Amino acid sequence: MLNALVTIAAEEGEAQNPLIPAAYDIIWSAVCFLVILFVVWKVALPKLTAMLDARSAAIEGNIAKADEAQRQAEAALEEYTKQLADARKEAGDIREAAREDGKRIVAEAKANAATEAERITATAHTQIEAERQSALVTLRSEVGALAIDLAGNVIGETLSDDQKATAVVDRFLADLEASEKAAK
């Protein structure tokens, strides 16, 4: 193909380099380039600049929003941490109060139990003493009756005087109690 061009150029009679374009091609190419450059400069470049500025502003706005959201999240985390610490402190206070209440209730229950035990013991002692006295009176009367019967059998006559018999029995029992106390 190059041979065909060289042959055509030789036939025309000009000795022109086939790699260098003709002057009219250069002029028209320059005019087209300038028109395209003017259109790009006046139309496309301002639109492109406006679009890049809008995108840059959007990115900066999103960064600002992200920073604000991060600050809010940090503030919320700090508030949450504070509330959690307060809740833990309050729970500790409640546990401590419950322990104190438990100790107080146990102490009250022990005091009530001790008081009740003392009351029951005192009642039991009183009842035992009453039963002892009752048994002692019953025993005296029975021993007195037996002693009078035995004395009557020994003497061979009946002791009909109650006052005299009672005095003799009381004196005998008093002597018996005195001898028991001396033996101890």
Side-chain angles (χ1 to χ4, degrees), residues 5-169:
L5 283 176
V6 172
T7 314
I8 293 175
E11 289 178 3
E12 289 180 4
E14 296 181 20
Q16 191 178 26
N17 189 353
L19 297 177
I20 297 176
Y24 63 88
D25 283 338
I26 292 176
I27 293 172
W28 282 110
S29 296
V31 169
C32 288
F33 178 75
L34 289 175
V35 168
I36 291 173
L37 182 65
F38 180 77
V39 169
V40 167
W41 187 279
K42 290 295 181 181
V43 176
L45 190 62
K47 287 183 181 180
L48 183 64
T49 304
M51 183 182 71
L52 289 176
D53 289 343
R55 188 172 221 173
S56 175
I59 289 171
E60 288 175 3
N62 287 341
I63 289 173
K65 287 178 185 176
D67 288 343
E68 181 63 27
Q70 186 175 2
R71 280 192 293 275
Q72 288 176 353
E74 288 172 356
L77 178 63
E78 185 177 318
E79 180 68 23
Y80 170 74
T81 305
K82 181 183 173 198
Q83 288 176 353
L84 185 61
D86 291 344
R88 285 183 179 158
K89 182 181 179 294
E90 185 178 343
D93 292 344
I94 290 171
R95 276 194 305 270
E96 190 61 34
R99 282 188 191 117
E100 293 299 322
D101 287 346
K103 288 177 184 177
R104 183 182 47 77
I105 289 170
V106 167
E108 287 176 2
K110 283 181 180 179
N112 289 342
T115 304
E116 186 67 18
E118 288 175 7
R119 186 189 63 79
I120 290 172
T121 303
T123 304
H125 285 304
T126 305
Q127 187 177 9
I128 289 171
E129 185 60 31
E131 287 177 6
R132 183 178 159 285
Q133 290 297 328
S134 171
L136 189 60
V137 168
T138 305
L139 184 62
R140 276 182 184 239
S141 65
E142 286 179 12
V143 167
L146 284 175
I148 290 174
D149 286 343
L150 285 175
N153 288 340
V154 169
I155 296 176
E157 57 181 78
T158 349
L159 297 172
S160 58
D161 187 12
D162 283 340
Q163 283 185 341
K164 191 174 185 183
T166 305
V168 170
V169 169

